[in-house]
Amino acid sequence: RLVDGSGTTWLPEVFSLAIVEHLSQMAIPDLVALGDEMKGQLDTPSPVVTIAGENVVVTPERIGAVDTLIDVRQRESSTTGEREKKETTSPYVLGTLDNTDDLTWTARLLPRHSAQPDMLPKAIQTPLKQHQLESFNWQVAAWRAGLPGVLNADEPGLGKTLQTLAFITWLKEHTRQPTAERRGPVLIVAPTSLLVNWEEEVERHVVDGGFGRLERLYGASTTASKRRGAQGRDTDSGLPQLDLDWLHEAFDEGRAHKFWVLTTYTTLANYQHSLGSIPFSAMVCDEMQAVKNENTLRAKAVKAMNADFRIGLTGTPIENTALDLWTIMDLLAPGSLGSGADFRQRYSEPTEENMADLHGRVFRDFEGKPALAIRRIKDEVARDLPTKTRHIHPRLMPAVQASEYDRARRKLAEGGMGAALKMLHHIRSVSVHPGDQARGADKDFILASARMSATFDVLDRLHRSGERALLFIEHRELQYRIAEILRQRYRLPKVEIINGETPILRRQKIVNAFQEHLTLNDGFDVLVLGPRAAGTGLTLTAATHVIHLSRWWNPAVEEQCNDRIHRIGQTKPVSIHVPMAVHPGYAEASFDCLLQSLMQRKRRLARQALWPMGDTAADSQGLQDMLKHQAKAESSDPLEQALTAMFGRDGMPLPRREEDGSLIVS
């Protein structure tokens, strides 16, 4: 069975279907053991584990998928009264109070005092835009008011990192004062892929020495930080394995505030006993949607840290369900949104009224104190950003693709629940390309797919005009095949790929090299990326076009990808391209047309309120039902029929065709 109880059906992207089937049959203790093994391998030179006799490269995305699967299985066991007994090998974690069922822990609001003026520190050498300065002032006010933590949920591309660096630099100036009450170091936790980016951002925006001394705690640095003779992780024994005596000595000598520690969520989870003993003046959690599942070791470790002030950063505070936001806020400001049980009762079924109520509780000032969170969108506060235009590129499926689509659709209609979800993924895959992705001549390979043909039509035009693009592709095998086609077709020296297997340093080198186009302005180039691995945290403003060859039913994921180029620093208009494959018989009932309607509806709701845009089980079930019951269409122009009916279904007028055959959608 594919994972569909977690609010996401993304598992097939990070694992093959064969691995997914094997994982679904594993007992919970075995899954926990596998997860621990993967986390232990992550920081090694060759992070590989064996699953079902297959060597699998360990990535943060795959660890997260296994953690999600464990959570789903545990919830299922609890619901049916068959929760498995906790094994003696279960990890030793720091104990914390829990607000899941009842409100047992509410952080106290104790005003903080500082003689430091509420002014932007001189150590910040990058001028802040108005909305960034407002964020700095909000963070200072929240700190002074005694809030335990805040969430910066600005839309991606508005400079959340710079806003945070400005406040932390201000806080560091405060902690230099001998009268400061909390003079500890700062802890910054980020996904592995963003560690180098954090170091570069500090160098770019803060004068040398203004942020203090960096202590890396990830990869080989973690191993080097272990106590002599230490074995394994903290969670293996419940004993601290890291040698942080030097930091405790720094506290005794009044200089602990001079340090900042950079680590990953995985390291934080594995060594939570060591880090939990440090009284940090502040903790920053970047891409905080990474801990939206409260039952994971990562989330428990974040909750257990001893930090005076917490800052969460995420452009998608509600990625799948409204409960994502409750989990994040309960980690930052415990009890601020009540108990999890009460929250579920009020917000599990989103309506315009309850989503507006939730928005007010989180993003508005309360009782004379600053809001718990801040969220601005680019249309409101970055009006100087160039325009972003969204194009769909519909094409009729060629015969080979339509035939494979028919076969998959028949199997969907015949299958049971588990088989139907599996077949829905296959239909989605067939809509990208119908056949073996590794075989066939390049020309035939492209012409076999409507989406592929539309994609290369776009790329041909960009090649002629000397523009650059990001091409998002989900499937790994397809990424490498397309990269090689791109290299040969456009005579490029190399086409780089960023996916979950790209090492951290290599990933940043690829980004930096691509960004050199901004100064060299040397014409056409394409970067191939995986939407989950490269859809967050990267700045790639040297491109002005994004092409979604692969597509998921979550607008939040798609917008994260788009925001790699439509962000502060972009000076040219941006175009988003969505190739669509239309079956000549099913027309508007084709998978791509149904998916486009679903995405349009979710975007419309999200513009009205803080609305969950996630890929839920209800979405996949709805797509299955529509695909099963639609009759074949009869038309002399099935493409025109499909577009007219699809836009009519979405309550939108049919846009005019552009010169390239695309249609502009809002």
Side-chain angles (χ1 to χ4, degrees), residues 219-230:
S221 298
T222 305
T223 303
S225 297
K226 284 193 172 184
R227 297 182 181 278
R228 179 174 297 180

Side-chain angles (χ1 to χ4, degrees), residues 311-350:
I311 303 172
L313 306 177
T314 176
T316 51
I318 294 182
E319 194 173 38
N320 291 313
T321 71
L323 191 61
D324 295 349
L325 182 60
W326 179 87
T327 303
I328 289 172
M329 294 310 305
D330 205 61
L331 293 174
L332 296 172
S336 58
L337 293 181
S339 71
D342 176 67
F343 189 92
R344 285 189 184 89
Q345 184 176 5
R346 296 177 65 173
Y347 304 113
S348 61
E349 295 296 331

Side-chain angles (χ1 to χ4, degrees), residues 347-632:
Y347 304 113
S348 61
E349 295 296 331
T351 66
E352 291 186 23
E353 292 75 18
N354 66 18
M355 288 297 101
D357 172 68
L358 177 58
H359 187 281
R361 292 179 68 183
V362 177
F363 295 102
R364 292 179 190 158
D365 294 357
F366 66 102
E367 298 180 356
K369 294 182 175 58
L372 291 165
I374 193 170
R375 179 169 178 80
R376 284 80 56 86
I377 62 175
K378 291 194 284 283
D379 289 346
E380 296 173 349
V381 299
R383 297 182 183 275
D384 56 336
L385 269 182
T387 58
K388 179 176 70 175
T389 308
R390 197 186 313 272
H391 302 255
I392 60 170
H393 297 263
R395 299 284 192 280
L396 284 180
M397 291 182 182
V400 62
Q401 189 174 25
S403 176
E404 185 62 29
Y405 183 96
D406 285 335
R407 186 178 297 109
R409 191 179 178 280
R410 285 195 299 270
K411 290 183 179 179
L412 174 68
E414 297 167 357
M417 289 181 61
L421 181 56
K422 182 177 179 179
M423 193 50 56
L424 176 64
H425 284 283
H426 183 54
I427 288 176
R428 175 174 169 265
S429 178
V430 168
S431 296
V432 176
H433 197 281
D436 192 327
Q437 296 166 356
R439 299 178 182 176
D442 290 350
K443 181 179 179 181
D444 295 337
F445 179 79
I446 293 170
L447 293 177
S449 161
R451 279 205 218 178
M452 203 75 70
S453 296
T455 295
F456 277 92
D457 284 348
V458 173
L459 289 170
D460 286 345
R461 289 191 295 276
L462 300 184
H463 180 251
R464 290 193 295 269
S465 60
E467 299 177 81
R468 291 173 289 275
L470 308 183
L471 178 55
F472 283 93
I473 304 172
E474 175 187 329
H475 301 284
R476 299 284 169 83
E477 187 177 357
L478 190 57
Q479 291 170 3
Y480 292 103
R481 176 71 195 269
I482 294 298
E484 182 58 23
I485 294 175
L486 290 167
R487 188 186 66 80
Q488 295 189 26
R489 186 183 184 98
Y490 303 115
R491 297 181 180 179
L492 296 168
K494 188 174 185 180
V495 174
E496 297 285 7
I497 300 172
I498 297 179
N499 57 31
E501 296 177 359
T502 308
I504 305 170
L505 294 178
R506 177 64 184 154
R507 171 190 176 109
Q508 196 62 42
K509 287 181 180 179
I510 293 172
V511 170
N512 293 344
F514 191 82
Q515 286 296 87
E516 288 180 2
H517 287 304
L518 288 171
T519 53
L520 299 175
N521 196 23
D522 50 357
F524 176 78
D525 199 0
V526 186
L527 191 58
V528 176
L529 311 102
R532 275 297 191 181
T536 59
L538 301 182
T539 295
L540 293 162
T541 48
T544 54
H545 296 263
V546 171
I547 304 172
H548 295 279
L549 180 59
S550 300
R551 203 178 193 196
W552 201 254
W553 43 85
N554 186 335
V557 172
E558 197 163 283
E559 290 307 312
Q560 287 171 343
C561 297
N562 299 338
D563 288 324
R564 298 313 96 214
I565 69 172
H566 193 240
R567 59 196 297 114
I568 291 175
Q570 181 59 263
T571 60
K572 299 178 180 179
V574 165
S575 295
I576 311 301
H577 303 275
V578 178
M580 292 176 59
V582 179
H583 190 286
Y586 296 111
E588 72 274 10
S590 303
F591 175 84
D592 280 8
C593 293
L594 296 174
L595 179 57
Q596 173 64 18
S597 293
L598 174 63
M599 298 283 272
Q600 284 293 116
R601 179 178 65 84
K602 287 190 171 188
R603 281 197 174 92
R604 186 164 56 246
L605 291 170
R607 283 195 293 267
Q608 297 170 1
L610 188 67
W611 201 277
M613 291 199 293
D615 41 307
T616 64
D619 294 332
S620 59
Q621 185 62 54
L623 287 169
Q624 291 173 46
D625 293 342
M626 287 187 286
L627 285 168
K628 284 181 179 179
H629 297 111
Q630 293 286 350
K632 276 199 171 186

Side-chain angles (χ1 to χ4, degrees), residues 205-366:
H205 299 303
V206 187
V207 299
D208 188 32
F211 211 70
R213 176 180 166 182
L214 167 62
E215 292 293 332
R216 298 179 183 88
L217 198 57
Y218 58 86
S221 298
T222 305
T223 303
S225 297
K226 284 193 172 184
R227 297 182 181 278
R228 179 174 297 180
Q231 298 290 327
R233 306 174 294 269
D234 291 7
T235 49
D236 294 335
S237 62
L239 300 175
Q241 300 297 309
L242 300 182
D243 184 0
L244 299 180
D245 291 345
W246 60 271
L247 189 50
H248 291 285
E249 291 173 1
F251 272 100
D252 295 339
E253 297 170 4
R255 53 184 178 85
H257 61 280
K258 296 181 179 181
F259 299 94
W260 67 286
V261 179
L262 181 62
T263 192
T264 69
Y265 286 104
T266 299
T267 303
L268 185 74
N270 289 340
Y271 298 97
Q272 55 186 274
H273 298 271
S274 298
L275 289 165
S277 66
I278 306 298
F280 294 99
S281 62
M283 175 172 69
V284 178
C285 295
D286 195 9
E287 297 295 347
M288 200 173 179
Q289 70 274 10
V291 288
K292 65 179 182 290
N293 184 336
E294 62 173 327
N295 293 314
T296 61
L297 285 178
R298 296 177 176 191
K300 293 180 184 299
V302 168
K303 179 183 290 188
M305 288 302 103
N306 180 8
D308 182 53
F309 191 65
R310 296 167 177 243
I311 303 172
L313 306 177
T314 176
T316 51
I318 294 182
E319 194 173 38
N320 291 313
T321 71
L323 191 61
D324 295 349
L325 182 60
W326 179 87
T327 303
I328 289 172
M329 294 310 305
D330 205 61
L331 293 174
L332 296 172
S336 58
L337 293 181
S339 71
D342 176 67
F343 189 92
R344 285 189 184 89
Q345 184 176 5
R346 296 177 65 173
Y347 304 113
S348 61
E349 295 296 331
T351 66
E352 291 186 23
E353 292 75 18
N354 66 18
M355 288 297 101
D357 172 68
L358 177 58
H359 187 281
R361 292 179 68 183
V362 177
F363 295 102
R364 292 179 190 158
D365 294 357
F366 66 102

Side-chain angles (χ1 to χ4, degrees), residues 147-218:
L147 269 63
V150 293
L151 175 68
N152 186 332
D154 273 353
E155 189 177 26
L158 289 177
K160 290 189 291 292
T161 303
L162 175 55
Q163 297 169 34
T164 306
L165 292 178
F167 170 74
I168 294 297
T169 303
W170 177 89
L171 183 64
K172 280 193 162 289
E173 291 188 357
H174 159 71
T175 57
R176 291 193 188 104
Q177 303 170 13
T179 56
E181 294 181 3
R182 296 289 292 261
R183 304 185 67 210
V186 170
L187 174 65
I188 295 179
V189 190
T192 305
S193 58
L194 298 184
L195 297 171
V196 175
N197 182 70
W198 267 97
E199 294 190 34
E200 292 184 349
E201 291 288 287
V202 171
E203 292 177 3
R204 181 180 301 117
H205 299 303
V206 187
V207 299
D208 188 32
F211 211 70
R213 176 180 166 182
L214 167 62
E215 292 293 332
R216 298 179 183 88
L217 198 57
Y218 58 86

